[in-house]
Amino acid sequence: NAGVMQNPRHLVRRRGQEARLRCSPMKGHSHVYWYRQLPEEGLKFMVYLQKENIIDESGMPKERFSAEFPKEGPSILRIQQVVRGDSAAYFCASSPPGRVDGYTFGSGTRLTVV
Amino acid sequence: TQLLEQSPQFLSIQEGENLTVYCNSSSVFSSLQWYRQEPGEGPVLLVTVVTGGEVKKLKRLTFQFGDARKDSSLHITAAQPGDTGLYLCAATSGTYKYIFGTGTRLKVLA
């Protein structure tokens, strides 16, 4: 887990504010995946990115959510105009290029919308 | 829609007991993983299985992939309090996208 860095660990936002979640992948990993975990549920795929490219965003809500992975810097998951239902743990995972035989996850960002 | 069902959902046992948890689906997968997640942390990969019938051992943990690659089991021998956590299975049909089960929450009492 130590290799994938997510921040902040905890984030509290009021309804209508923006939330920005950051993820730095493990050294040598160029693929990033974002998953969301609702209380008492499993993880749900949101988006898969490579440097400067969104490969698959099929699991991400069409409105208010966006993700990027710039050439330099961490991957960012952005949630605009947050609502109470966005409260969840958001996990980032990374992998090297090629076949994925399991993820290395970060410790997650726990978003609470009040 | 592919689903992974895990059972039991909750399990509370005494230290030293054995246990088995299951991960079932009606879909065929090319690869299946087991993760353990502790409170406040991300899931940690325990094992990946790819061949039908494959058995892998990790100390006191034994993982098996079903012959038809639709299900898997995790057996823990002589459970210890340190085994406490949420056990998640995850599977893919050959892409980067994994679906996760809802997990088995294990508590081992000293």
Side-chain angles (χ1 to χ4, degrees):
Chain A
N1 266 0
V4 178
M5 304 303 294
Q6 288 189 249
N7 67 81
R9 288 293 301 270
H10 300 276
L11 183 61
V12 179
R13 284 287 178 265
R14 295 186 183 279
R15 280 178 295 171
Q17 292 185 319
E18 179 179 284
R20 301 188 83 192
L21 289 60
R22 295 175 184 78
C23 169
S24 296
M26 277 186 72
K27 190 175 181 180
H29 287 190
S30 56
H31 297 198
V32 165
Y33 315 81
W34 285 92
Y35 279 74
R36 176 165 65 176
Q37 186 175 36
L38 294 169
E40 305 304 322
E41 291 191 15
L43 282 79
K44 296 285 193 290
F45 170 83
M46 297 183 74
V47 61
Y48 163 39
L49 309 104
Q50 296 176 17
K51 286 281 188 182
E52 300 184 280
N53 279 308
I54 297 175
I55 307 301
D56 182 347
E57 56 182 348
S58 60
M60 203 154 64
K62 294 286 187 286
E63 296 180 356
R64 302 188 298 108
F65 285 72
S66 63
E68 62 177 9
F69 189 15
K71 187 176 180 182
E72 301 291 336
S75 175
I76 306 285
L77 179 67
R78 184 183 291 110
I79 311 172
Q80 296 177 303
Q81 300 175 332
V82 296
V83 301
R84 288 231 171 99
D86 297 333
S87 294
Y90 292 82
F91 291 98
C92 166
S94 70
S95 71
R99 181 189 169 94
V100 178
D101 282 332
Y103 296 131
T104 300
F105 279 96
S107 297
T109 293
R110 276 139 193 89
L111 172 65
T112 302
V113 179
V114 298
Chain B
T1 303
Q2 295 176 318
L3 290 174
L4 280 175
E5 295 185 357
Q6 290 191 242
S7 61
Q9 280 188 286
F10 301 96
L11 190 55
S12 181
I13 62 170
Q14 294 292 326
E15 182 177 3
E17 293 184 357
N18 301 335
L19 66 116
T20 303
V21 298
Y22 301 93
C23 175
N24 295 297
S25 177
S26 57
S27 301
V28 177
F29 297 107
S30 62
S31 170
L32 187 144
Q33 288 89 42
W34 284 92
Y35 293 82
R36 182 170 70 206
Q37 184 179 21
E38 299 188 17
E41 296 296 329
V44 175
L45 180 66
L46 297 174
V47 77
T48 299
V49 286
V50 298
T51 305
E54 182 176 3
V55 177
K56 282 193 174 179
K57 293 194 174 185
L58 183 65
K59 296 183 181 178
R60 295 176 292 100
L61 279 60
T62 302
F63 306 86
Q64 182 160 11
F65 201 12
D67 291 341
R69 290 184 287 129
K70 293 183 179 181
D71 52 76
S72 180
S73 64
L74 158 58
H75 182 79
I76 301 179
T77 303
Q80 299 177 0
D83 295 327
T84 292
L86 177 66
Y87 288 82
L88 295 162
C89 63
T92 182
S93 300
T95 72
Y96 48 83
K97 191 185 301 184
Y98 282 82
I99 60 168
F100 279 77
T102 50
T104 292
R105 201 167 293 278
L106 172 66
K107 187 168 186 178
V108 182
L109 305 169

